[in-house]
Amino acid sequence: MRLSVVGCGYLGAVHAAAMADLGHDVVGVDVDARKVAQLARGEAPFFEPGLQELLLSGLRSGRLRFSTDPGALSSADLHFIAVGTPQLSGRAGADLSYVDAAFAQVLAHGKDGDVVVGKSTVPVGTVERLSATVGDDDPRVTLAWNPEFLREGHAVADSLTPDRLVFGVADGARDDAAAAGLAQVYEKPLRDGTPLIVTDWATAELVKVAANAFLATKISFINAMAEIAEATGADVTQLADAIGHDARIGRRFLNAGVGFGGGCLPKDIRAFQARAVELGLADSVVFLDEVDKINLRRRARVVELAGELLGSTPGRRVAVLGLAFKPDSDDVRDSPALEVACALRAAGAEVVAADPHAAANARARDPELVTVDSAEEALAGAELVILLTEWREFRELDPARTAQLVSGRRIIDARNVLDPEAWIGAGWEYRGLGRR
Ligand code: UGA
């Protein structure tokens, strides 16, 4: 099929490359000339395992290209909208201006019979609103929403072999032209048995925000238990293991620590609340306010623990291990790790941070942040070590060897991924979050 993808960020770049890999002719369109040039050379503009290879193979096959020219959209019959929906400045709601602009662009360059499919995370009611903007002079397009569930760090596999597909089409009609187009786009994963749910527009929009709200709630639930565990001498990791054996609960996304961040979960739960307020349904999602507050308290707790361990913070050398919002990503949007590093610096600590891939992005947000290339350099002379992003190389640090690098054996394991006994055995003062 001839496809276009409007927006080539974390979502769109991966989606475009994945669609070419499935055998389609794909043009990715973005306003950012630098990003388009990088993608056209086969360079991933951000760190995502496997993306570079996927881009190169798509470009070599001749099925994948990138352009800044919206006119390129006219070569496609099905258009994906994959632009960002960031949080509005100073408000909880989502900024839909990029979605609106992308839709207008597709209408301007599309033709009768084209299918327009949104992938961006949007508040419920957006597709209805967009469809109402189609004027008499615009091409007769069919509109659908196909939410994306990819996780950064696993985006390539999640795109090529999704765990489910959701097609939100007008009135949920399976014989809708967009449903037929999408069934062709995803012919391979559907043949391989990927579950498909065909819904109406509103359900598809809600599926995405509900999924992220549920994941955020699960993490904040276990972090709330961590607060209780800290006060009562219980151990939240054992608690998570024990309740996680119940298949109805499940162990995944029950890792207590410094909490969730990134470009999705935090802004999505806020946008969901803002939309509920507009709908007069604030009470239905009021719990998400607590989910957000519990999450942000975990960041403050790490800063507080650092103060407790050091006695006083000003002038003290702190090694921060990790700046990305999660491992296998260079994304620092709303990163708990970066926020803790900045808060400690603001409190007067001499923070030296290391992250295998996110240091440059972190410095772009906070130019005064001192970053080094390796954990060893960050650890040299540190009076306190804080593990904030569980990259494998940090998880595998040897306590005895690490002890030789630092000037004070104090460690906060803000992701609860280290073996406390091994660290305590090597003479470290160890603190996890919600751990004995
Ligand atoms: C999330 C969803 O998981 C994806 O399904 C969704 O497609 C995506 O948002 C999106 O809306 O685009 P992502 O932001 O890549 O994906 O990251 P997650 O793997 O969900 O992790 C989010 C945060 O939660 C990270 O900061 C991670 O460290 C934290 N986390 C995760 C915990 O603190 N504890 C856990 O047990 C799991």
Side-chain angles (χ1 to χ4, degrees), residues 144-168:
W145 223 255
N146 165 224
E148 179 58 57
F149 306 105
L150 67 78
R151 300 157 297 165
E152 288 180 27
H154 305 269
V156 170
D158 287 351
S159 298
L160 293 175
T161 51
D163 53 11
R164 78 281 209 193
L165 285 164
V166 175
F167 301 167

Side-chain angles (χ1 to χ4, degrees), residues 305-306 308-320 348-352 378-386 402-403 405-412 428-429:
L305 259 182
E308 273 173 42
L309 281 176
L310 288 170
S312 84
T313 315
R316 311 295 294 277
R317 265 276 286 113
V318 177
V320 159
E350 268 182 49
V351 173
V352 180
L379 291 165
E383 296 168 85
L384 169 67
V385 180
I386 315 183
T402 308
L405 299 170
V406 298
S407 70
R409 297 182 188 186
R410 303 178 191 91
I411 185 157
I412 300 174
W428 286 79
E429 197 173 344

Side-chain angles (χ1 to χ4, degrees), residues 11 121 148-154 158 164 208 211-212 215-216 218-219 222-223 251-268 295 299 324-327 329 331 333-336 388-390 415:
L11 167 59
T121 304
E148 179 58 57
F149 306 105
L150 67 78
R151 300 157 297 165
E152 288 180 27
H154 305 269
D158 287 351
R164 78 281 209 193
K208 176 57 197 267
N212 277 2
L215 294 172
K218 206 170 172 190
I219 299 168
I222 202 65
N223 280 330
R251 181 62 179 83
R252 293 175 75 188
F253 268 66
L254 275 187
N255 296 321
V258 70
F260 60 81
C264 303
L265 263 46
K267 66 108 176 149
D268 286 351
N295 190 50
R299 304 176 186 191
F325 84 104
K326 70 174 195 180
S329 168
D331 195 348
R333 287 177 294 170
D334 208 340
S335 166
L388 283 157
T389 314
E390 68 276 33
R415 291 290 181 178

Side-chain angles (χ1 to χ4, degrees), residues 320-324 326 329-330 353-359 372-373 389 391 394:
V320 159
L321 302 183
L323 291 164
K326 70 174 195 180
S329 168
D330 62 0
D355 188 289
H357 289 278
V372 287
D373 291 336
T389 314
W391 289 93
F394 300 153

